[in-house]
Amino acid sequence: MMYNVTLKENASPAELEKAKEDAKAQGGTIKHEYTLIKGFTVEFPDDRVHTFQSNDHVHVEVDGEVKTQ
């Protein structure tokens, strides 16, 4: 499953790199890195996301289709 991972605006470049390394260490594969915001998309095993979400600087949400009315 794909997940969007974003960090708080005041997160340092080192915190972003640590988040990416943590995702990879837990079996994730980085699929896209954002340039306008601090974040990335990762393909991540469902049973591992709860560990990754525990970081106060990181927000993880399931990637999905967005529809407008």
Side-chain angles (χ1 to χ4, degrees):
M1 188 166 260
M2 298 285 278
Y3 295 88
N4 293 316
V5 179
T6 55
L7 281 75
K8 292 182 178 180
E9 188 176 321
N10 63 348
S12 71
E15 288 172 312
L16 176 59
E17 286 304 313
K18 183 177 183 325
K20 290 190 288 187
E21 289 303 316
D22 287 349
K24 290 187 237 178
Q26 294 180 40
T29 303
I30 306 296
K31 295 295 186 178
H32 180 77
E33 293 186 40
Y34 301 110
T35 56
L36 295 177
I37 61 172
K38 294 177 182 175
F40 53 94
T41 300
V42 60
E43 190 167 7
F44 212 55
D46 291 336
D47 62 342
R48 301 294 176 94
V49 168
H50 68 279
T51 302
F52 196 61
Q53 284 182 314
S54 64
N55 186 327
D56 289 337
H57 298 283
V58 176
H59 176 74
V60 180
E61 64 184 10
V62 176
D63 188 24
E65 185 177 343
V66 176
K67 296 182 180 184
T68 59
Q69 295 184 355

